[in-house]
Amino acid sequence: MNDETLKSNIFQQIIDSPHQKVKVAIADIDGVLRGKLMHKEKFLQVMESNFGFCNVVYGWDMADQSYDNVQVSGWHTGYPDAEAFVDWRTYRNIPWENNLPFFLADFTGSQASSAMAACPRSLLKQVITKAHTMGFTPFFSQEFEWFNFKQNSRELYEKNFQQLQPLTSGMFGYSLLKAAEYSEYFNDLFDLLAQFRVPLEGLHTETGPGVYEGAIQYSEILEAADRAVLFKSAVKEIAFKHDIIPSFMAKQSQELPGCSGHVHQSLWNIEKNKNLFYDGDAVHNMSRVFQQYLAGQIHCLPHILPMLAPTINSYKRLVEGAWAPTTLTWGVDNRTTAFRALPLGEKSARLESRVVGSDVNPYLAMAACLASGLYGIEHNLSLDLPPTSGNGYEDIGGGRLPSNLFEASQAMDKSPISRELFNPAFVDHFTQTRFWEWRQFSVEITDWEKKRYFEII
């Protein structure tokens, strides 16, 4: 069935829908979905053309505070509408909202609009186009760990985000017993996500009180990123129905492991019938393409780290001995390194980026992974860094990762490599939003400071 037929069928499904409204969403720079309900008649019109969406979506942070250091949006622009375009291929029905129709939109068609330069989904599509031009079809998937708390939203604010009750107690990784403790919620996640076209490969408890991990089934990269963005939002909405609050913060507590958002990736041929990462005659069964791709990621990581670790909290996860990498390392099936090569077979050979936390914007994380991998192929980089055998925290031959968001953002802002990988307008906008995030943190008086200095100093 060709695209026009598919689009026509979706158009007809919306016409025939018993609902008089459609939900439409756009991902902001932090991966938060911003959207609205549209009357069905209005939506059918914009599905054929475009619609206006206020450019403030890229002019404020996750707390709706207006940036004072970006050009794309701000008081100086007057916050006009930017031209947004519905991607009809993202059509879904929301099963926990009586199968309400849902679509994603982006600013890809707004060539003259500054919103396009800041649009994460548009950025990823640009990198995908380059991959196709180079003869590759990227297949990706993402897995998330997250904490669950037995609270509702009102209680969360009443408690000032303190002394929250974990859904379950104790350290129970892969525990069937703890999964059964809230089995209705646990099973709803798996089943409703599948109905929402975000199919899971696996769902289990992770080590930590109330921690779950979900691995999303792999697909072509744009669909994989859509699924990942929708996964985080859908988990929160499903949890609301159970009076549960999920949290995708990278690090909840110094005493507990952090929450990852590992990205799995492979390159296939244009026909999608051959995994180009596998070579049974090569060392570790890693093809030349795989080696160059990995070399590119290692080389570029210090220049684009904020796209994989975007918040203040991200860097509190990237500490030794907490199942998150701190060094520029790779290894074959080694979970202590930044990059875990898995050349397991012709169909399953892939690379896992373990730097990525659960707090990322999946569009930006996947764009960063793919662009840096393509850089390695395009520049014919050799995989000169030897694989780590054993403890990756002790292997500092490749260097260490930046230790905080400010340091990482400075490196990205000043890097010619980041501007080679991405539109300079995006790099300018994104790094300024990260500097803004650092400024917001820097002026706050923390509980640690009060405990440290209040009485004794």
mmCIF file of all heavy atoms in Angstrom, residues 30-33 142 144-146 189 193 196 198 216 225-239 246-249 261 310 357-362:
data_model
loop_
_atom_site.group_PDB
_atom_site.id
_atom_site.type_symbol
_atom_site.label_atom_id
_atom_site.label_comp_id
_atom_site.label_asym_id
_atom_site.label_seq_id
_atom_site.Cartn_x
_atom_site.Cartn_y
_atom_site.Cartn_z
ATOM 1 N N ASP A 30 13.309 19.892 25.682
ATOM 2 C CA ASP A 30 13.566 18.926 26.742
ATOM 3 C C ASP A 30 12.855 17.602 26.521
ATOM 4 O O ASP A 30 12.956 16.706 27.369
ATOM 5 C CB ASP A 30 13.144 19.510 28.094
ATOM 6 C CG ASP A 30 14.057 20.636 28.540
ATOM 7 O OD1 ASP A 30 15.257 20.367 28.760
ATOM 8 O OD2 ASP A 30 13.592 21.786 28.644
ATOM 9 N N GLY A 31 12.130 17.485 25.401
ATOM 10 C CA GLY A 31 11.405 16.256 25.127
ATOM 11 C C GLY A 31 10.035 16.201 25.771
ATOM 12 O O GLY A 31 9.365 15.169 25.750
ATOM 13 N N VAL A 32 9.604 17.323 26.360
ATOM 14 C CA VAL A 32 8.265 17.408 26.952
ATOM 15 C C VAL A 32 7.260 17.633 25.829
ATOM 16 O O VAL A 32 7.466 18.485 24.966
ATOM 17 C CB VAL A 32 8.196 18.561 27.970
ATOM 18 C CG1 VAL A 32 6.781 18.704 28.520
ATOM 19 C CG2 VAL A 32 9.201 18.344 29.088
ATOM 20 N N LEU A 33 6.180 16.869 25.844
ATOM 21 C CA LEU A 33 5.161 17.027 24.811
ATOM 22 C C LEU A 33 4.266 18.225 25.128
ATOM 23 O O LEU A 33 3.660 18.297 26.206
ATOM 24 C CB LEU A 33 4.311 15.758 24.688
ATOM 25 C CG LEU A 33 5.008 14.551 24.056
ATOM 26 C CD1 LEU A 33 4.050 13.365 23.992
ATOM 27 C CD2 LEU A 33 5.526 14.885 22.658
ATOM 28 N N GLN A 142 15.234 2.205 22.382
ATOM 29 C CA GLN A 142 15.659 2.783 23.657
ATOM 30 C C GLN A 142 15.012 2.020 24.793
ATOM 31 O O GLN A 142 13.903 1.481 24.660
ATOM 32 C CB GLN A 142 15.292 4.273 23.730
ATOM 33 C CG GLN A 142 15.972 5.019 24.866
ATOM 34 C CD GLN A 142 15.986 6.533 24.672
ATOM 35 O OE1 GLN A 142 15.374 7.068 23.761
ATOM 36 N NE2 GLN A 142 16.707 7.237 25.527
ATOM 37 N N PHE A 144 14.311 2.282 29.120
ATOM 38 C CA PHE A 144 14.242 3.265 30.207
ATOM 39 C C PHE A 144 14.107 2.580 31.560
ATOM 40 O O PHE A 144 13.377 1.592 31.704
ATOM 41 C CB PHE A 144 13.030 4.183 30.027
ATOM 42 C CG PHE A 144 13.139 5.151 28.890
ATOM 43 C CD1 PHE A 144 12.529 4.891 27.676
ATOM 44 C CD2 PHE A 144 13.856 6.330 29.029
ATOM 45 C CE1 PHE A 144 12.625 5.788 26.622
ATOM 46 C CE2 PHE A 144 13.959 7.233 27.983
ATOM 47 C CZ PHE A 144 13.337 6.960 26.779
ATOM 48 N N GLU A 145 14.778 3.141 32.544
ATOM 49 C CA GLU A 145 14.550 2.807 33.942
ATOM 50 C C GLU A 145 13.898 4.023 34.595
ATOM 51 O O GLU A 145 14.235 5.160 34.259
ATOM 52 C CB GLU A 145 15.874 2.488 34.645
ATOM 53 C CG GLU A 145 16.599 1.289 34.063
ATOM 54 C CD GLU A 145 18.042 1.188 34.526
ATOM 55 O OE1 GLU A 145 18.546 2.153 35.143
ATOM 56 O OE2 GLU A 145 18.666 0.152 34.255
ATOM 57 N N TRP A 146 12.983 3.775 35.523
ATOM 58 C CA TRP A 146 12.348 4.905 36.205
ATOM 59 C C TRP A 146 11.785 4.453 37.553
ATOM 60 O O TRP A 146 11.465 3.296 37.767
ATOM 61 C CB TRP A 146 11.244 5.526 35.337
ATOM 62 C CG TRP A 146 9.967 4.748 35.247
ATOM 63 C CD1 TRP A 146 8.818 4.958 35.963
ATOM 64 C CD2 TRP A 146 9.677 3.624 34.379
ATOM 65 N NE1 TRP A 146 7.845 4.057 35.602
ATOM 66 C CE2 TRP A 146 8.346 3.228 34.640
ATOM 67 C CE3 TRP A 146 10.410 2.924 33.426
ATOM 68 C CZ2 TRP A 146 7.748 2.158 33.974
ATOM 69 C CZ3 TRP A 146 9.818 1.850 32.764
ATOM 70 C CH2 TRP A 146 8.505 1.481 33.036
ATOM 71 N N LEU A 189 0.700 -1.207 31.884
ATOM 72 C CA LEU A 189 1.792 -0.598 31.133
ATOM 73 C C LEU A 189 2.089 -1.400 29.873
ATOM 74 O O LEU A 189 2.151 -0.855 28.763
ATOM 75 C CB LEU A 189 3.049 -0.513 32.005
ATOM 76 C CG LEU A 189 3.054 0.519 33.125
ATOM 77 C CD1 LEU A 189 4.318 0.372 33.982
ATOM 78 C CD2 LEU A 189 2.972 1.942 32.578
ATOM 79 N N LEU A 193 0.463 0.175 26.339
ATOM 80 C CA LEU A 193 1.515 0.695 25.462
ATOM 81 C C LEU A 193 1.499 -0.032 24.117
ATOM 82 O O LEU A 193 1.695 0.593 23.073
ATOM 83 C CB LEU A 193 2.883 0.566 26.134
ATOM 84 C CG LEU A 193 3.169 1.592 27.233
ATOM 85 C CD1 LEU A 193 4.366 1.163 28.075
ATOM 86 C CD2 LEU A 193 3.424 2.968 26.626
ATOM 87 N N PHE A 196 -1.101 1.338 22.076
ATOM 88 C CA PHE A 196 -0.739 2.697 21.682
ATOM 89 C C PHE A 196 0.381 2.702 20.638
ATOM 90 O O PHE A 196 0.934 3.746 20.340
ATOM 91 C CB PHE A 196 -0.323 3.475 22.935
ATOM 92 C CG PHE A 196 -0.186 4.962 22.757
ATOM 93 C CD1 PHE A 196 -1.169 5.728 22.135
ATOM 94 C CD2 PHE A 196 0.941 5.624 23.240
ATOM 95 C CE1 PHE A 196 -1.036 7.101 21.985
ATOM 96 C CE2 PHE A 196 1.090 6.999 23.094
ATOM 97 C CZ PHE A 196 0.098 7.736 22.468
ATOM 98 N N VAL A 198 3.354 1.468 20.978
ATOM 99 C CA VAL A 198 4.674 1.588 21.595
ATOM 100 C C VAL A 198 4.980 0.218 22.207
ATOM 101 O O VAL A 198 4.951 0.032 23.428
ATOM 102 C CB VAL A 198 4.721 2.691 22.665
ATOM 103 C CG1 VAL A 198 6.124 2.841 23.252
ATOM 104 C CG2 VAL A 198 4.264 4.027 22.083
ATOM 105 N N ILE A 216 11.865 -0.907 24.726
ATOM 106 C CA ILE A 216 10.957 -0.729 23.596
ATOM 107 C C ILE A 216 11.475 -1.526 22.401
ATOM 108 O O ILE A 216 12.687 -1.577 22.154
ATOM 109 C CB ILE A 216 10.848 0.762 23.234
ATOM 110 C CG1 ILE A 216 10.451 1.580 24.469
ATOM 111 C CG2 ILE A 216 9.844 0.983 22.113
ATOM 112 C CD1 ILE A 216 10.554 3.083 24.290
ATOM 113 N N ALA A 225 12.367 6.897 17.906
ATOM 114 C CA ALA A 225 12.372 8.116 18.715
ATOM 115 C C ALA A 225 10.957 8.526 19.092
ATOM 116 O O ALA A 225 10.698 8.950 20.230
ATOM 117 C CB ALA A 225 13.068 9.236 17.956
ATOM 118 N N ASP A 226 10.020 8.421 18.145
ATOM 119 C CA ASP A 226 8.618 8.710 18.463
ATOM 120 C C ASP A 226 8.138 7.806 19.597
ATOM 121 O O ASP A 226 7.503 8.263 20.558
ATOM 122 C CB ASP A 226 7.738 8.493 17.231
ATOM 123 C CG ASP A 226 7.890 9.567 16.168
ATOM 124 O OD1 ASP A 226 8.419 10.650 16.475
ATOM 125 O OD2 ASP A 226 7.477 9.316 15.009
ATOM 126 N N ARG A 227 8.434 6.520 19.473
ATOM 127 C CA ARG A 227 8.020 5.583 20.515
ATOM 128 C C ARG A 227 8.608 5.952 21.869
ATOM 129 O O ARG A 227 7.929 5.880 22.902
ATOM 130 C CB ARG A 227 8.459 4.159 20.146
ATOM 131 C CG ARG A 227 7.694 3.524 18.994
ATOM 132 C CD ARG A 227 8.261 2.144 18.677
ATOM 133 N NE ARG A 227 7.537 1.490 17.590
ATOM 134 C CZ ARG A 227 7.823 0.276 17.112
ATOM 135 N NH1 ARG A 227 8.839 -0.401 17.636
ATOM 136 N NH2 ARG A 227 7.124 -0.242 16.133
ATOM 137 N N ALA A 228 9.883 6.346 21.883
ATOM 138 C CA ALA A 228 10.547 6.664 23.141
ATOM 139 C C ALA A 228 9.943 7.903 23.796
ATOM 140 O O ALA A 228 9.713 7.934 25.011
ATOM 141 C CB ALA A 228 12.044 6.850 22.908
ATOM 142 N N VAL A 229 9.690 8.943 22.997
ATOM 143 C CA VAL A 229 9.064 10.156 23.527
ATOM 144 C C VAL A 229 7.670 9.836 24.055
ATOM 145 O O VAL A 229 7.282 10.280 25.155
ATOM 146 C CB VAL A 229 8.999 11.241 22.436
ATOM 147 C CG1 VAL A 229 8.100 12.394 22.871
ATOM 148 C CG2 VAL A 229 10.395 11.768 22.122
ATOM 149 N N LEU A 230 6.922 9.067 23.289
ATOM 150 C CA LEU A 230 5.561 8.730 23.692
ATOM 151 C C LEU A 230 5.549 7.786 24.884
ATOM 152 O O LEU A 230 4.617 7.826 25.705
ATOM 153 C CB LEU A 230 4.806 8.105 22.517
ATOM 154 C CG LEU A 230 4.546 9.052 21.341
ATOM 155 C CD1 LEU A 230 3.930 8.304 20.161
ATOM 156 C CD2 LEU A 230 3.649 10.209 21.752
ATOM 157 N N PHE A 231 6.577 6.931 24.998
ATOM 158 C CA PHE A 231 6.669 6.019 26.132
ATOM 159 C C PHE A 231 6.681 6.795 27.447
ATOM 160 O O PHE A 231 5.913 6.493 28.369
ATOM 161 C CB PHE A 231 7.940 5.173 26.004
ATOM 162 C CG PHE A 231 8.224 4.303 27.198
ATOM 163 C CD1 PHE A 231 7.676 3.037 27.298
ATOM 164 C CD2 PHE A 231 9.027 4.756 28.240
ATOM 165 C CE1 PHE A 231 7.926 2.230 28.407
ATOM 166 C CE2 PHE A 231 9.281 3.959 29.346
ATOM 167 C CZ PHE A 231 8.728 2.693 29.430
ATOM 168 N N LYS A 232 7.545 7.794 27.541
ATOM 169 C CA LYS A 232 7.671 8.535 28.798
ATOM 170 C C LYS A 232 6.359 9.230 29.156
ATOM 171 O O LYS A 232 5.928 9.212 30.315
ATOM 172 C CB LYS A 232 8.806 9.546 28.692
ATOM 173 C CG LYS A 232 10.179 8.913 28.570
ATOM 174 C CD LYS A 232 11.294 9.931 28.335
ATOM 175 C CE LYS A 232 11.585 10.756 29.562
ATOM 176 N NZ LYS A 232 12.786 11.616 29.366
ATOM 177 N N SER A 233 5.733 9.847 28.169
ATOM 178 C CA SER A 233 4.479 10.545 28.425
ATOM 179 C C SER A 233 3.360 9.559 28.753
ATOM 180 O O SER A 233 2.562 9.781 29.677
ATOM 181 C CB SER A 233 4.108 11.389 27.202
ATOM 182 O OG SER A 233 2.931 12.128 27.437
ATOM 183 N N ALA A 234 3.315 8.450 28.020
ATOM 184 C CA ALA A 234 2.252 7.457 28.224
ATOM 185 C C ALA A 234 2.366 6.794 29.589
ATOM 186 O O ALA A 234 1.348 6.565 30.269
ATOM 187 C CB ALA A 234 2.307 6.406 27.117
ATOM 188 N N VAL A 235 3.573 6.466 30.010
ATOM 189 C CA VAL A 235 3.759 5.855 31.333
ATOM 190 C C VAL A 235 3.190 6.772 32.417
ATOM 191 O O VAL A 235 2.504 6.317 33.342
ATOM 192 C CB VAL A 235 5.253 5.568 31.586
ATOM 193 C CG1 VAL A 235 5.510 5.281 33.066
ATOM 194 C CG2 VAL A 235 5.711 4.380 30.748
ATOM 195 N N LYS A 236 3.447 8.073 32.290
ATOM 196 C CA LYS A 236 2.936 9.020 33.284
ATOM 197 C C LYS A 236 1.404 9.051 33.267
ATOM 198 O O LYS A 236 0.761 9.071 34.321
ATOM 199 C CB LYS A 236 3.503 10.411 33.017
ATOM 200 C CG LYS A 236 5.005 10.500 33.242
ATOM 201 C CD LYS A 236 5.562 11.845 32.788
ATOM 202 C CE LYS A 236 7.080 11.878 32.886
ATOM 203 N NZ LYS A 236 7.655 13.129 32.392
ATOM 204 N N GLU A 237 0.823 9.049 32.080
ATOM 205 C CA GLU A 237 -0.643 9.122 31.988
ATOM 206 C C GLU A 237 -1.296 7.843 32.498
ATOM 207 O O GLU A 237 -2.333 7.896 33.171
ATOM 208 C CB GLU A 237 -1.048 9.408 30.544
ATOM 209 C CG GLU A 237 -0.633 10.798 30.069
ATOM 210 C CD GLU A 237 -1.137 11.129 28.671
ATOM 211 O OE1 GLU A 237 -2.117 10.483 28.230
ATOM 212 O OE2 GLU A 237 -0.567 12.022 28.025
ATOM 213 N N ILE A 238 -0.716 6.705 32.169
ATOM 214 C CA ILE A 238 -1.261 5.431 32.664
ATOM 215 C C ILE A 238 -1.118 5.362 34.182
ATOM 216 O O ILE A 238 -2.024 4.928 34.898
ATOM 217 C CB ILE A 238 -0.546 4.242 31.988
ATOM 218 C CG1 ILE A 238 -0.868 4.220 30.482
ATOM 219 C CG2 ILE A 238 -0.964 2.916 32.628
ATOM 220 C CD1 ILE A 238 0.007 3.284 29.666
ATOM 221 N N ALA A 239 0.027 5.825 34.679
ATOM 222 C CA ALA A 239 0.265 5.799 36.129
ATOM 223 C C ALA A 239 -0.742 6.664 36.878
ATOM 224 O O ALA A 239 -1.176 6.306 37.982
ATOM 225 C CB ALA A 239 1.687 6.264 36.427
ATOM 226 N N PRO A 246 5.300 8.381 38.276
ATOM 227 C CA PRO A 246 6.599 7.912 37.790
ATOM 228 C C PRO A 246 7.578 9.088 37.708
ATOM 229 O O PRO A 246 7.174 10.226 37.504
ATOM 230 C CB PRO A 246 6.293 7.383 36.382
ATOM 231 C CG PRO A 246 4.826 7.621 36.150
ATOM 232 C CD PRO A 246 4.359 8.592 37.172
ATOM 233 N N SER A 247 8.852 8.798 37.856
ATOM 234 C CA SER A 247 9.879 9.824 37.708
ATOM 235 C C SER A 247 11.020 9.301 36.854
ATOM 236 O O SER A 247 11.594 8.244 37.138
ATOM 237 C CB SER A 247 10.421 10.245 39.077
ATOM 238 O OG SER A 247 11.514 11.145 38.910
ATOM 239 N N PHE A 248 11.347 10.063 35.808
ATOM 240 C CA PHE A 248 12.436 9.710 34.905
ATOM 241 C C PHE A 248 13.690 10.541 35.196
ATOM 242 O O PHE A 248 14.547 10.671 34.331
ATOM 243 C CB PHE A 248 11.986 9.890 33.452
ATOM 244 C CG PHE A 248 10.993 8.853 32.998
ATOM 245 C CD1 PHE A 248 9.635 9.036 33.197
ATOM 246 C CD2 PHE A 248 11.422 7.694 32.388
ATOM 247 C CE1 PHE A 248 8.714 8.077 32.783
ATOM 248 C CE2 PHE A 248 10.513 6.734 31.971
ATOM 249 C CZ PHE A 248 9.154 6.924 32.171
ATOM 250 N N MET A 249 13.792 11.101 36.393
ATOM 251 C CA MET A 249 15.038 11.747 36.798
ATOM 252 C C MET A 249 16.186 10.758 36.660
ATOM 253 O O MET A 249 16.036 9.566 36.931
ATOM 254 C CB MET A 249 14.968 12.215 38.250
ATOM 255 C CG MET A 249 14.333 13.563 38.457
ATOM 256 S SD MET A 249 14.344 14.017 40.220
ATOM 257 C CE MET A 249 16.098 14.137 40.537
ATOM 258 N N GLY A 261 18.758 5.472 30.106
ATOM 259 C CA GLY A 261 17.907 5.498 28.913
ATOM 260 C C GLY A 261 18.707 4.990 27.727
ATOM 261 O O GLY A 261 18.740 5.619 26.681
ATOM 262 N N PRO A 310 21.358 15.954 29.574
ATOM 263 C CA PRO A 310 20.919 17.333 29.365
ATOM 264 C C PRO A 310 20.586 18.142 30.607
ATOM 265 O O PRO A 310 20.290 19.327 30.502
ATOM 266 C CB PRO A 310 19.653 17.150 28.521
ATOM 267 C CG PRO A 310 19.095 15.847 29.000
ATOM 268 C CD PRO A 310 20.277 14.985 29.349
ATOM 269 N N GLY A 357 20.903 8.872 29.835
ATOM 270 C CA GLY A 357 20.049 8.704 31.005
ATOM 271 C C GLY A 357 18.578 8.759 30.633
ATOM 272 O O GLY A 357 18.201 9.126 29.517
ATOM 273 N N SER A 358 17.734 8.439 31.592
ATOM 274 C CA SER A 358 16.294 8.409 31.327
ATOM 275 C C SER A 358 15.701 9.807 31.206
ATOM 276 O O SER A 358 14.537 9.962 30.810
ATOM 277 C CB SER A 358 15.572 7.645 32.441
ATOM 278 O OG SER A 358 15.813 8.242 33.698
ATOM 279 N N ASP A 359 16.497 10.849 31.516
ATOM 280 C CA ASP A 359 15.997 12.226 31.478
ATOM 281 C C ASP A 359 16.185 12.894 30.120
ATOM 282 O O ASP A 359 15.922 14.089 29.978
ATOM 283 C CB ASP A 359 16.682 13.066 32.565
ATOM 284 C CG ASP A 359 18.204 13.036 32.476
ATOM 285 O OD1 ASP A 359 18.755 12.236 31.691
ATOM 286 O OD2 ASP A 359 18.862 13.806 33.208
ATOM 287 N N VAL A 360 16.614 12.150 29.106
ATOM 288 C CA VAL A 360 16.924 12.767 27.815
ATOM 289 C C VAL A 360 15.683 13.056 26.985
ATOM 290 O O VAL A 360 14.612 12.490 27.210
ATOM 291 C CB VAL A 360 17.848 11.881 26.950
ATOM 292 C CG1 VAL A 360 19.207 11.747 27.563
ATOM 293 C CG2 VAL A 360 17.215 10.532 26.662
ATOM 294 N N ASN A 361 15.876 13.927 26.010
ATOM 295 C CA ASN A 361 14.952 14.063 24.890
ATOM 296 C C ASN A 361 15.375 13.020 23.864
ATOM 297 O O ASN A 361 16.454 13.122 23.284
ATOM 298 C CB ASN A 361 15.062 15.476 24.298
ATOM 299 C CG ASN A 361 14.148 15.695 23.111
ATOM 300 O OD1 ASN A 361 13.748 14.755 22.420
ATOM 301 N ND2 ASN A 361 13.830 16.953 22.843
ATOM 302 N N PRO A 362 14.573 11.967 23.631
ATOM 303 C CA PRO A 362 15.004 10.889 22.736
ATOM 304 C C PRO A 362 15.359 11.349 21.326
ATOM 305 O O PRO A 362 16.251 10.761 20.694
ATOM 306 C CB PRO A 362 13.798 9.945 22.721
ATOM 307 C CG PRO A 362 13.173 10.143 24.069
ATOM 308 C CD PRO A 362 13.314 11.625 24.326
#
